[in-house]
Amino acid sequence: MTSPLSGGVDCDLHPAVPHLTSLLPYMNDYWRDQVTTRGMTDLVSQSYPTNSPISSRPDWRPGQGKPGSDLADMQKQALDRFGTAYGICNPLYGVQMVFSEDMQDAFCRALNDWLAKEWLDKDARLRGSIVIPTQSVEKSVAEIERCAADKRFVQVLVLVMGDMPLGKRAYWPIYAAAERLGLTIGIHAGSAYHNPPTSVGWGSYHIEDYVAQATAFQTQLTSLIVEGVFARHPGLKMVMLESGFTWLPAYLWRLHKFWRGIRMETPWVDRAPLEIVRSNIRFSLQPVDAPPDPATLNRLFDHMQSDELLLFSTDYPHWQFDGDAVLPEGISPDLVRKIMIDNPLKTYGRLEFAKETTP
């Protein structure tokens, strides 16, 4: 088994909100009254059904409550177990599915404050992602600026399946704020379910939704590149979280071919797509969607033409591997260090800065 290194950065941990009332202390009187009067109890997305096997490893599933809702469990099962120096928390709570801009904003603010108080304050290894109300770009920028004052927030978190392609210029103020404040943009698997999760409509089964996430990442990556996000914001880093990565070489071959053929319509894309990905895009390790054969995996790494694209992640508490086999077999020690330590520290510029400024 390929062993993890102590001192790594886990880029994808999922602290779970026990229930909506857990956020009430972080809401003002008006929104507390709205939640209680309406009888609202939870905001659970169907991207990760609570009782679905993939939503939690059996040995990480608590006797009571949601998987990932207990800090002591996360410490024992993920942080301590893999010798983690930093763990980046990506709360996947359904606040971004709410249609009301005002309610979505209030719930995102409460979620971010809950994360800081209930998780970041209680373990110095933890860092946070800012969940933003993407229906309102203005409110999203305001929330980024508010939370960025706390240097423990290192990332802005959006879902891969939202209301429109992420390269659209309407979103650019979000990217400008993130770049200015040294924050990474994390694009995570999941959907607001305002649109079907596939390009041909609604499927019948969860597996159709889950497998379709990879094509959504491809669509968003194409949008970000051809719309010119990285020409406008060359210093911005984006991380594809739970995207898989085995699709990347073939996807880039196809994108590069057609960029060369019809690039006259996008003259601002002045670098090859592969160069843009190398400089601005990263991918979380889990889920590893490659065959369990070291030779095949290493051949895939060769096709990726870079050892800087992958970032270590456990995807805790989701079930992506068994036991301690968080790293696939056959990775060289040098690549293990790059994936676990070097690449994440270069991607998340606020990690080391936060070490000296943690309140």
Side-chain angles (χ1 to χ4, degrees):
M1 183 177 68
T2 304
S3 298
L5 291 175
S6 179
V9 179
D10 189 338
C11 298
D12 197 28
L13 296 166
H14 299 299
V17 178
H19 38 72
L20 186 57
T21 55
S22 304
L23 301 184
L24 290 180
Y26 305 99
M27 297 179 185
N28 62 28
D29 291 342
Y30 172 80
W31 287 111
R32 280 197 295 271
D33 183 62
Q34 288 290 307
V35 170
T36 55
T37 300
R38 296 183 186 202
M40 300 175 69
T41 58
D42 221 341
L43 293 170
V44 178
S45 167
Q46 284 304 302
S47 294
Y48 301 92
T50 301
N51 293 323
S52 172
I54 203 169
S55 295
S56 177
R57 274 176 41 162
D59 55 330
W60 289 351
R61 189 177 291 278
Q64 292 183 330
K66 295 177 183 176
S69 61
D70 185 81
L71 174 61
D73 285 346
M74 179 186 286
Q75 290 169 328
K76 176 183 177 181
Q77 295 165 351
L79 297 174
D80 297 342
R81 185 170 191 166
F82 300 110
T84 301
Y86 296 112
I88 300 175
C89 295
N90 299 314
L92 298 177
Y93 198 47
V95 293
Q96 291 172 317
M97 300 193 308
V98 176
F99 279 96
S100 164
E101 290 185 9
D102 293 329
M103 181 179 286
Q104 189 181 106
D105 180 45
F107 286 176
C108 286
R109 287 173 63 93
L111 179 60
N112 293 327
D113 290 344
W114 169 85
L115 179 65
K117 184 70 173 180
E118 303 297 334
W119 295 81
L120 308 189
D121 282 358
K122 296 180 179 180
D123 193 310
R125 294 170 291 184
L126 294 180
R127 298 293 180 265
S129 292
I130 304 168
V131 180
I132 56 173
T134 49
Q135 284 201 97
S136 170
V137 173
E138 179 182 10
K139 293 180 186 300
S140 292
V141 170
E143 184 63 4
I144 291 169
E145 292 175 340
R146 184 184 77 90
C147 292
D150 184 342
K151 300 301 182 182
R152 297 174 301 176
F153 283 100
V154 300
Q155 181 168 253
V156 176
L157 190 66
V158 299
L159 298 176
V160 71
M161 295 182 183
D163 292 329
M164 61 182 177
L166 289 172
K168 291 287 189 179
R169 284 155 175 77
Y171 289 131
W172 285 19
I174 292 173
Y175 307 146
E179 185 182 36
R180 172 169 49 85
L181 295 166
L183 291 157
T184 299
I185 299 288
I187 303 173
H188 201 285
S191 177
Y193 293 107
H194 297 174
N195 298 300
T198 83
S199 61
V200 293
W202 296 94
S204 301
Y205 305 102
H206 182 226
I207 187 174
E208 296 176 84
D209 184 333
Y210 202 82
V211 172
Q213 301 291 322
T215 57
F217 279 102
Q218 294 173 36
T219 300
Q220 296 292 19
L221 186 50
T222 302
S223 173
L224 292 163
I225 290 173
V226 303
E227 292 275 3
V229 169
F230 302 109
R232 176 65 69 88
H233 303 291
L236 184 65
K237 289 286 196 299
M238 291 192 175
V239 179
M240 307 295 180
L241 297 159
E242 272 188 67
S243 59
F245 57 86
T246 59
W247 51 265
L248 184 63
Y251 159 82
L252 285 174
W253 295 335
R254 180 178 178 85
L255 180 59
H256 182 80
K257 173 183 173 64
F258 291 111
W259 167 74
R260 292 181 64 189
I262 55 177
R263 62 183 175 181
M264 58 181 290
E265 67 173 347
T266 56
W268 46 83
V269 185
D270 56 359
R271 293 182 292 154
L274 176 58
E275 293 181 30
I276 295 173
V277 169
R278 283 176 179 168
S279 63
N280 296 89
I281 306 294
R282 300 294 180 262
F283 301 83
S284 67
L285 179 67
Q286 295 292 348
V288 178
D289 48 1
D293 170 35
T296 302
L297 182 65
N298 281 292
R299 189 160 60 249
L300 173 67
F301 289 152
D302 289 340
H303 288 316
M304 291 171 69
Q305 301 182 49
S306 175
D307 61 2
E308 297 184 348
L309 299 182
L310 294 182
L311 310 180
F312 177 70
S313 65
T314 59
D315 192 24
Y316 178 87
H318 299 158
W319 192 2
Q320 306 293 1
F321 61 93
D322 293 316
D324 293 333
V326 65
L327 296 170
E329 287 295 330
I331 300 181
S332 71
D334 287 345
L335 186 55
V336 169
R337 179 175 179 84
K338 293 278 285 189
I339 291 173
M340 294 199 66
I341 300 174
D342 298 341
N343 294 348
L345 291 179
K346 289 180 180 178
T347 301
Y348 294 99
R350 289 166 63 108
L351 280 179
E352 288 294 340
F353 183 73
K355 187 176 183 180
E356 299 178 359
T357 58
T358 300

